[in-house]
Amino acid sequence: VLNAAEKMASSLNSRVFNSHIRNNVSLAECVGKHIGITAYDPKSNGADDIRMFCKEIIKEVNKHEQK
């Protein structure tokens, strides 16, 4: 699956991030209640995963801004 995603991203001049967001109960619950995971259950795996993904995105944006 990752190989297919990387090929598709390449064809779109994009990329696949390294972060993985694990599925968990807190993620499902916060969506139903329209509350962000970091506010709903900040210590959950889902919140940790989202924070790591955001850090990865920020790092990528900063890399492009420095060019």
Side-chain angles (χ1 to χ4, degrees):
V1 172
L2 182 58
N3 192 22
E6 288 172 341
K7 285 181 182 180
M8 182 176 286
S10 177
S11 71
L12 298 171
N13 196 28
S14 187
R15 66 172 293 231
V16 175
F17 288 92
N18 294 319
S19 300
H20 298 277
I21 300 173
R22 295 169 279 184
N23 193 14
N24 61 65
V25 173
S26 292
L27 281 174
E29 291 173 347
C30 78
V31 170
K33 295 182 180 193
H34 306 282
I35 302 171
I37 186 64
T38 56
Y40 181 76
D41 190 357
K43 295 182 180 181
S44 69
N45 288 334
D48 289 341
D49 294 345
I50 292 291
R51 280 189 287 274
M52 291 303 296
F53 181 54
C54 290
K55 286 178 185 178
E56 192 174 356
I57 290 172
I58 291 167
K59 183 178 177 181
E60 187 71 16
V61 168
N62 289 338
K63 184 170 72 173
H64 287 283
E65 286 180 348
Q66 292 176 359
K67 289 183 179 182

